[in-house]
Amino acid sequence: MIRRPPRSTQGVSSAASDVYKRQVNNSINIKREDNDGWRLSCRQHVPLSPKDVFAFFSDAYNLERITPAFLHFRILSVSNSPLLAGATLNYTLRLHHIPVFWRTVIAEWQPPHHFVDTQQIGPFKKWRHLHQFVPSKQGTEMIDVVNFDLYCRGLTATPLLSWVNNDLTRIFEYRQTKTAELLGAQVK
């Protein structure tokens, strides 16, 4: 299991930085799954109802708002807005300056409880991202579980795996910071 401390919050607002430090610290875990790639998991609390949080994620263009700028992420097309089961999203991004086309399909859509997106075309051999929204006394516990595998699994004994894990951790740390900022999470 890989647990990383949070990265610097330079350039993040003070309130978001405080939320980031409280919520992201050691909350992103990546571990190897038996013969099935890897599993990334993380949790975050937001002070809104699952219905309100689900509505935020129902707008595919909010993905651009919670994706770090270094990826140059741009949505090209969305087949349905708001999203629903079977919707297709086409987008581009840059991984270490390499342009990547990515297509995902919404495989499951169960408002306001969860949805699943899966990669059809993209940089991973497998990508299945479960987004869960669990009611809590003070809002919603958001749970992300990503099962992924690499095309070049034979190279995982090289620095490649560390590179992928570092990138994914950095992306999900940013995502948690921006989600807290946009959905009004506050430090208690």
Side-chain angles (χ1 to χ4, degrees), residues 22-78:
R22 179 174 62 88
Q23 293 182 340
V24 176
N25 190 20
N26 292 323
S27 70
I28 299 169
N29 300 299
I30 301 175
K31 67 176 186 171
R32 180 72 191 241
E33 297 283 286
D34 292 336
N35 296 318
D36 198 28
W38 290 264
R39 177 185 175 110
L40 177 149
S41 60
C42 57
R43 295 175 171 266
Q44 179 178 15
H45 181 267
V46 293
L48 299 174
S49 71
K51 181 179 178 183
D52 291 336
V53 177
F54 200 94
F56 176 82
F57 285 95
S58 294
D59 179 350
Y61 290 93
N62 281 328
L63 186 55
E64 287 182 343
R65 297 172 71 191
I66 62 171
T67 301
F70 76 85
L71 287 175
H72 302 278
F73 179 88
R74 296 291 173 258
I75 293 177
L76 301 174
S77 65
V78 178

Side-chain angles (χ1 to χ4, degrees), residues 69-131:
F70 76 85
L71 287 175
H72 302 278
F73 179 88
R74 296 291 173 258
I75 293 177
L76 301 174
S77 65
V78 178
S79 66
N80 298 85
S81 186
L83 294 175
L84 49 80
T88 301
L89 291 82
N90 293 307
Y91 42 93
T92 61
L93 53 92
R94 289 187 173 272
L95 293 172
H96 299 276
H97 307 287
I98 300 168
V100 175
F101 174 80
W102 197 323
R103 174 177 293 150
T104 58
V105 172
I106 304 300
E108 296 177 30
W109 190 257
Q110 297 295 319
H113 309 291
H114 78 273
F115 70 95
V116 173
D117 64 81
T118 59
Q119 174 193 284
Q120 275 193 329
I121 300 170
F124 292 91
K125 184 176 180 180
K126 176 179 86 171
W127 179 273
R128 181 184 186 278
H129 185 172
L130 168 65
H131 308 254

